[in-house]
Amino acid sequence: MALPQPPPPPPAGACDPVTPEHWASGPPSQAQPLLRQEAKEEEEGEETGVQGAWGTGTAEQRRRGWGEAAESAAAEEGQAEVGGAAAAGSGSPAGGAGGGRGGWWRILAWLQRQQPQCCPCAAPLPRSAAHCCHGGTKMAALAYNLGKREINHYFSVRSAKVLALVAVLLLAACHLASRRYRGNDSCEYLLSSGRFLGEKVWQPHSCMMHKYKISEAKNCLVDKHIAFIGDSRIRQLFYSFVKIINPQFKEEGNKHENIPFEDKTASVKVDFLWHPEVNGSMKQCIKVWTEDSIAKPHVIVAGAATWSIKIHNGSSEALSQYKMNITSIAPLLEKLAKTSDVYWVLQDPVYEDLLSENRKMITNEKIDAYNEAAVSILNSSTRNSKSNVKMFSVSKLIAQETIMESLDGLHLPESSRETSAMILMNVYCNKILKPVDGSCCQPRPPLTLIQKLAACFFTSCIIGYLIFYIIHRNAHRKNKPCTDLESGEEKKNIINTPVSSLEILLQSFCKLGLIMAYFYMCDRANLFMKENKFYTHSSFFIPIIYILVLGVFYNENTKETKVLNREQTDEWKGWMQLVILIYHISGASTFLPVYMHIRVLVAAYLFQTGYGHFSYFWIKGDFGIHRVCQVLFRLNFLVVVLCIVMDRPYQFYYFVPLVTVWFMVIYVTLALWPQIIQKKANGNCFWHFGLLLKLGFLLLFICFLAYSQGAFEKIFSLWPLSKCFELKGNVYEWWFRWRLDRYVVFHGMLFAFIYLALQKRQILSEGKGEPLFSNKISNFLLFISVVSFLTYSIWASSCKNKAECNELHPSVSVVQILAFILIRNIPGYARSVYSSFFAWFGKISLELFICQYHIWLAADTRGILVLIPGNPMLNIIVSTFIFVCVAHEISQITNDLAQIIIPKDNSSLLKRLACIAAFFCGLLILSSIQDKSKH
């Protein structure tokens, strides 16, 4: 069927061109009769229930614009046949309802009726002027708004959270089944599988490998004896293992003899015993250790095969003899494995092209045959249970990637040997030292008393809410509207009662309990896997570009055009938080220029803390206890819960203590006598000098604490402050974190004071589209800001080390922050728009920052959570989706609980504060009992 032809365009000169100024007071006069006619048709359609040209819905909804007004019409009429199968597959649930073409025919007919006489489509139009655009623009607006509204309707935040919950349940079930089927021993993964993340970075399957330092290795191996038995390849592994303990140990001496090593400071003894073949000599050496009177090595690493292939020219008789010899040795190794850790090293592949003539018989085919024999015999040495002799097969995978770098085709390059030695160190030492970033071979940490009580509390809340829900539902069924059989109409028995505070409280703690169970599963229960981070420039900068494009795409007009308005600060916090998240998951802290710029972003958060709280107290003059309690609750609620559930100190989540302390500093500074607020200062300029004097004393106090570490540590080492600010037994970490951004909050307060003073005197032009200052001053300040911004970036990129950069950072970070604020706010058009994409994340930035520790990253931010193994990209997408949904839900829970726990009535609030104080006292007592039991 042919589409109807549009009416001919109006003749040239039919109307005067319309300029944007004409739209200031409404649509052009030519369009007014049409608009009045449309409004009349809308009202008639609404009254009669007939779908008009604007579609169904309320009159107010239809008056908002073409895209929104046409939404319900297009949804009811289903999929359009424009564009063929691609358009038909767009997936609207309403696609099958009604005639597929009818809705679009009505849209086209409407477009033909509403062709404007003239249209300034090139100019940005207000919503009321949307009726005067050409048909093509109308169709584009319809397509955009229809698609956007359809997505929002069928995929809201609520449905996203339901999908995230389903994903968590499915993934947990899959991982639980995998653990049951494949076993729960991560040591097997460490010894048998993995991949290279980079040239020299080995990633075991599903767990994290710790890189041991000299002190850690000695601490683990104190009073231990390790024995390496085998050929030249085992000797190489021995040297690499010893160099972890003593890097100065040299590879020298007769290669075909025993090599001893001893570190007397740690009483560590490591021996290499030269037994190149699996024969009677090796058997006798192992047999001696099985006697009760002989001291046995704590760790035995054995393996050999290449000499047997070489000496016997790769004959099948040699393989048969190898099988017989290893069969006789297997019971001895199994007996030793009951009291010692025994590892049999499978043979690595060779690079046949580089082998010398006397080694040409050592082929990969022969090596595979010997390995198969060793595995089958050693694994079948015990009939009724699993063999205690562990197969060290991961070196084969490492060699397959690196053997091409071998000098002779037989022996591995040094980097590969170091990786194998570090794997051995992880296998033995992780269960002893329990490093945070070494999840391989670590048992699940036992539940503490506080964690058990928290589990009981959340379980009680879940049960209580279920009981409350069942009772409420039964009452609702009894009061359900009944049908009047005579009239066929429903009669309501009662009006729905409002939701009680108790129900909100139980529901919030119920949801929080389920979320905390997910936190625990991710980072404490060893249910999900973890992997090490690995930094590449692409892993950091490509996601940055991606989110930048999304942020620019989703832009809207601001409700107000003031400097640092609410939408703009939310946007600022949002993009900063996303950059920080990418920085953390990519491990970009190893790249110094990125590290320094991220330090500026953290400082910018604190700058906003100083700016925001100072502005509130200065303008509102509200120093009441309710305001203080609300801010402290919103900042600390999630962190306190995580400290209890995840058994972590308060200082571990360093940013929240930092913001909390600075908020209290701002409050005390402004609340102390004399209280100086804007209303009082407007009456007498003398009060401005009084406030500046207060800020001056604050700066002196900051400088004193920054350069007097002893005084700072004495203050925060006092009980009970020490329980909040100690980490690993001291407050040095807290002092370092506080000192790193010591001036930026003061800068934020000072900036707020200057800005509000200029605004009060109407020196700034903050109208829509207007530059902040006169053109000359604005251009000059923009030039200075851009130069300053780039200068800081150049300096940050040229720093030699972190210590040098961190020393200068507190004094210079404000330069880039102020430069960004001026660049963002001086142009009127930049101040008039904001990114709704970034602003959405900015509203939950605190929850995102805290939640990343355990459900996006892993091992307390040291690694990456692996929900979907084997596919890093899909894993990041799924884990990020769940992580964002959880953060958003926690934000809503915190807001709901804040309204209940922190009431506005002072008498009720004081009672709640007494209960909260009692709770923390009980927590301190339990923590002390817990610490004593550990010691």
Side-chain angles (χ1 to χ4, degrees):
M1 181 182 293
L3 294 174
Q5 298 298 320
C15 65
D16 295 330
V18 180
T19 60
E21 288 78 5
H22 292 121
W23 294 91
S25 60
S29 59
Q30 292 91 337
Q32 294 292 347
L34 292 175
L35 293 177
R36 286 195 294 270
Q37 181 181 355
E38 291 161 8
K40 183 178 179 182
E41 290 174 354
E42 289 175 48
E43 293 170 0
E44 290 175 355
E46 182 180 8
E47 291 172 1
T48 57
V50 178
Q51 179 177 321
W54 284 85
T56 57
T58 65
E60 179 61 27
Q61 289 173 335
R62 295 197 294 274
R63 291 189 187 102
R64 290 177 183 174
W66 161 247
E68 295 181 8
E71 175 203 0
S72 53
E76 185 175 336
E77 293 302 327
Q79 304 294 342
E81 294 186 8
V82 179
S90 60
S92 171
R101 297 190 180 188
W104 286 99
W105 273 106
R106 280 196 288 273
I107 291 170
L108 291 171
W110 186 91
L111 287 174
Q112 287 181 330
R113 294 200 309 270
Q114 308 305 332
Q115 282 292 338
Q117 297 298 317
C118 47
C119 176
C121 290
L125 307 179
R127 188 178 294 275
S128 60
H131 308 293
C132 191
C133 290
H134 292 294
T137 309
K138 290 268 190 178
M139 291 296 290
L142 168 66
Y144 174 78
N145 286 288
L146 177 61
K148 182 178 178 181
R149 304 277 297 180
E150 285 291 308
I151 291 173
N152 291 339
H153 180 71
Y154 294 106
F155 192 75
S156 61
V157 174
R158 181 183 178 86
S159 58
K161 291 175 183 177
V162 172
L163 183 60
L165 176 61
V166 172
V168 168
L169 294 176
L170 289 176
L171 289 169
C174 291
H175 279 266
L176 188 61
S178 175
R179 296 279 182 181
R180 295 275 186 179
Y181 176 72
R182 300 181 62 179
N184 199 28
D185 188 5
S186 58
C187 281
E188 292 186 6
Y189 298 133
L190 179 61
L191 292 170
S192 62
S193 58
R195 69 185 191 279
F196 273 105
L197 296 178
E199 186 178 352
K200 298 179 181 179
V201 180
W202 181 255
Q203 172 59 60
H205 176 70
S206 82
C207 64
M208 298 168 60
M209 191 169 75
H210 177 66
K211 188 174 182 180
Y212 278 89
K213 301 175 182 177
I214 299 172
S215 58
E216 292 174 323
K218 289 182 178 181
N219 188 27
C220 168
L221 300 176
V222 62
D223 296 329
K224 297 294 188 298
H225 179 205
I226 298 96
F228 289 80
I229 311 170
D231 54 13
S232 57
R233 286 179 161 184
I234 300 297
R235 184 179 64 239
Q236 280 189 312
L237 186 59
F238 158 79
Y239 277 123
S240 296
F241 188 86
V242 169
K243 285 182 179 179
I244 299 176
I245 306 169
N246 182 8
Q248 283 72 41
F249 189 72
K250 297 181 180 179
E251 301 182 20
E252 56 187 13
N254 191 344
K255 294 182 178 180
H256 295 169
E257 64 181 17
N258 298 342
I259 304 173
F261 168 80
E262 185 175 3
D263 188 302
K264 295 183 179 179
T265 58
S267 300
V268 180
K269 185 179 180 182
V270 186
D271 292 326
F272 169 71
L273 306 177
W274 172 253
H275 291 284
E277 288 190 87
V278 181
N279 53 19
S281 176
M282 179 183 284
K283 179 180 178 181
Q284 184 60 34
C285 176
I286 295 172
K287 187 176 182 180
V288 170
W289 287 329
T290 60
E291 298 175 2
D292 296 334
S293 59
I294 302 297
K296 304 172 182 61
H298 297 89
V299 181
I300 299 170
V301 183
T306 55
W307 272 70
S308 298
I309 299 173
K310 176 183 175 181
I311 293 174
H312 301 286
N313 202 26
S315 63
S316 57
E317 291 80 7
L319 178 60
S320 300
Q321 186 62 43
Y322 178 85
K323 292 179 180 179
M324 293 175 60
N325 292 337
I326 203 169
T327 301
S328 63
I329 289 176
L332 301 176
L333 292 175
E334 193 65 35
K335 186 176 180 180
L336 278 174
K338 293 179 180 178
T339 55
S340 305
D341 288 353
V342 180
Y343 304 95
W344 186 265
V345 182
L346 298 183
Q347 294 300 301
D348 303 326
V350 297
Y351 193 51
E352 298 179 9
D353 296 342
L354 288 178
L355 292 174
S356 58
E357 288 299 324
N358 62 338
R359 291 174 176 169
K360 286 293 183 182
M361 70 291 296
I362 306 176
T363 64
N364 288 321
E365 183 181 356
K366 296 291 183 183
I367 286 175
D368 290 340
Y370 276 72
N371 283 337
E372 290 176 6
V375 170
S376 61
I377 293 169
L378 291 174
N379 282 340
S380 61
S381 59
T382 55
R383 295 181 180 179
N384 300 324
S385 62
K386 188 177 180 180
S387 175
N388 292 318
V389 179
K390 302 178 180 68
M391 292 295 162
F392 193 81
S393 58
V394 69
S395 61
K396 290 196 324 178
L397 299 178
I398 298 171
Q400 287 173 3
E401 301 290 335
T402 60
I403 193 62
M404 290 77 72
E405 302 171 14
S406 172
L407 298 176
D408 57 8
L410 178 66
H411 299 99
L412 295 178
E414 186 175 0
S415 61
S416 302
R417 292 183 281 140
E418 291 172 353
T419 301
S420 296
M422 193 60 70
I423 290 173
L424 279 175
M425 189 69 73
N426 274 259
V427 170
Y428 186 75
C429 291
N430 281 3
K431 56 181 175 288
I432 297 174
L433 298 184
K434 297 181 174 66
V436 175
D437 61 340
S439 63
C440 302
C441 302
Q442 271 204 54
R444 181 178 63 84
L447 287 171
T448 63
L449 175 62
I450 295 176
Q451 286 177 310
K452 291 176 181 177
L453 291 175
C456 293
F457 171 76
F458 284 121
T459 304
S460 302
C461 289
I462 293 172
I463 295 172
Y465 177 70
L466 290 176
I467 294 172
F468 193 95
Y469 176 77
I470 292 171
I471 294 172
H472 181 75
R473 188 173 180 181
N474 288 337
H476 178 73
R477 282 180 177 177
K478 291 178 182 178
N479 298 316
K480 189 176 180 181
C482 58
T483 303
D484 191 337
L485 298 178
E486 295 180 1
S487 62
E489 296 179 353
E490 290 186 350
K491 292 183 178 180
K492 295 183 179 179
N493 294 333
I494 60 168
I495 299 174
N496 289 334
T497 57
V499 180
S500 65
S501 298
L502 177 61
E503 184 177 359
I504 295 174
L505 197 68
L506 287 174
Q507 185 185 41
S508 298
F509 279 118
C510 175
K511 292 189 289 186
L512 188 63
L514 295 175
I515 291 172
M516 288 301 110
Y518 178 64
F519 272 76
Y520 189 85
M521 286 193 301
C522 288
D523 211 17
R524 291 293 179 271
N526 291 336
L527 175 64
F528 297 120
M529 303 173 180
K530 305 173 181 67
E531 290 187 353
N532 295 91
K533 300 177 185 178
F534 177 68
Y535 174 73
T536 61
H537 292 318
S538 60
S539 67
F540 177 76
F541 288 104
I542 290 177
I544 293 293
I545 295 171
Y546 179 70
I547 66 165
L548 178 63
V549 172
L550 284 176
V552 172
F553 181 76
Y554 289 97
N555 64 83
E556 295 181 13
N557 293 328
T558 58
K559 295 178 182 178
E560 56 179 346
T561 56
K562 294 181 180 180
V563 174
L564 293 180
N565 56 69
R566 181 58 183 267
E567 286 102 342
Q568 190 182 131
T569 53
D570 283 340
E571 173 201 85
W572 192 5
K573 289 188 290 185
W575 70 257
M576 287 195 303
Q577 185 57 61
L578 292 177
V579 171
I580 290 173
L581 290 175
I582 296 171
Y583 164 82
H584 281 156
I585 201 166
S586 63
S589 59
T590 57
F591 187 48
L592 191 55
V594 173
Y595 167 81
M596 288 309 302
H597 283 85
I598 296 300
R599 292 280 1 131
V600 175
L601 299 189
V602 175
Y605 267 104
L606 295 172
F607 181 92
Q608 287 193 54
T609 297
Y611 172 84
H613 291 305
F614 178 90
S615 300
Y616 178 85
F617 290 128
W618 175 250
I619 297 172
K620 299 284 187 180
D622 178 13
F623 297 100
I625 191 173
H626 177 262
R627 166 71 180 178
V628 176
C629 292
Q630 269 212 330
V631 172
L632 294 180
F633 182 86
R634 291 176 186 275
L635 286 176
N636 293 275
F637 172 71
L638 176 58
V639 166
V640 170
V641 173
L642 285 177
C643 289
I644 295 170
V645 173
M646 306 304 289
D647 189 29
R648 282 293 173 264
Y650 179 65
Q651 181 54 35
F652 174 74
Y653 308 92
Y654 75 93
F655 186 74
V656 172
L658 201 58
V659 176
T660 301
V661 168
W662 277 118
F663 168 73
M664 293 305 301
V665 168
I666 297 167
Y667 176 78
V668 171
T669 302
L670 297 178
L672 282 177
W673 183 89
Q675 288 185 2
I676 305 173
I677 61 175
Q678 189 180 55
K679 186 177 180 180
K680 182 186 292 186
N682 289 337
N684 189 345
C685 291
F686 173 78
W687 291 111
H688 286 93
F689 293 102
L691 181 63
L692 289 174
L693 192 62
K694 273 192 171 187
L695 293 178
F697 279 117
L698 174 61
L699 181 61
L700 288 175
F701 180 70
I702 292 170
C703 292
F704 170 74
L705 290 181
Y707 294 100
S708 179
Q709 183 179 352
F712 185 95
E713 291 184 349
K714 283 181 180 178
I715 294 173
F716 289 97
S717 294
L718 297 173
W719 192 89
L721 287 178
S722 59
K723 299 297 292 184
C724 295
F725 297 100
E726 279 186 356
L727 193 64
K728 298 178 181 177
N730 58 67
V731 296
Y732 172 78
E733 181 72 16
W734 166 234
W735 178 79
F736 172 77
R737 294 286 187 184
W738 178 88
R739 190 172 183 271
L740 203 55
D741 296 299
R742 56 187 179 271
Y743 299 128
V744 73
V745 174
F746 170 81
H747 290 145
M749 297 171 67
L750 186 61
F751 175 83
F753 173 72
I754 295 172
Y755 162 68
L756 292 172
L758 294 175
Q759 186 188 60
K760 193 67 178 176
R761 284 158 179 74
Q762 298 181 351
I763 297 175
L764 305 177
S765 301
E766 295 183 299
K768 190 170 185 179
E770 297 178 358
L772 201 58
F773 304 96
S774 64
N775 288 333
K776 288 184 179 180
I777 297 176
S778 295
N779 292 335
F780 174 74
L781 289 177
L782 276 176
F783 175 76
I784 295 297
S785 300
V786 171
V787 171
S788 301
F789 195 91
L790 296 176
T791 301
Y792 179 90
S793 294
I794 293 170
W795 169 79
S797 302
S798 60
C799 268
K800 295 180 181 179
N801 54 67
K802 283 186 179 180
E804 176 186 320
C805 293
N806 287 337
E807 192 64 32
L808 292 174
H809 168 76
S811 303
V812 299
S813 61
V814 70
V815 173
Q816 199 166 38
I817 295 171
L818 291 177
F820 170 79
I821 293 173
L822 292 177
I823 294 170
R824 181 70 177 82
N825 286 276
I826 287 178
Y829 61 85
R831 210 171 54 250
S832 302
V833 296
Y834 77 105
S835 171
S836 56
F837 176 79
F838 289 142
W840 190 88
F841 286 98
K843 292 174 183 176
I844 57 171
S845 58
L846 181 66
E847 288 76 14
L848 288 172
F849 186 87
I850 299 169
C851 290
Q852 67 168 324
Y853 278 72
H854 303 296
I855 62 170
W856 196 52
L857 303 174
D860 298 336
T861 74
R862 305 295 181 86
I864 299 172
L865 179 67
V866 179
L867 299 178
I868 302 178
N871 195 327
M873 183 60 68
L874 182 59
N875 175 68
I876 288 295
I877 293 172
V878 173
S879 64
T880 302
F881 174 70
I882 297 172
F883 159 60
V884 172
C885 290
V886 169
H888 189 273
E889 184 63 30
I890 289 178
S891 177
Q892 291 186 337
I893 291 171
T894 305
N895 291 333
D896 290 341
L897 290 176
Q899 303 300 322
I900 299 173
I901 297 177
I902 311 296
K904 292 184 178 180
D905 179 56
N906 282 338
S907 60
S908 300
L909 179 58
L910 290 175
K911 293 177 182 178
R912 303 283 172 82
L913 290 178
C915 294
I916 292 173
F919 167 77
F920 279 108
C921 288
L923 199 62
L924 287 173
I925 294 170
L926 289 174
S927 178
S928 300
I929 296 172
Q930 199 168 275
D931 292 340
K932 288 181 181 179
S933 63
K934 286 181 180 179
H935 294 306

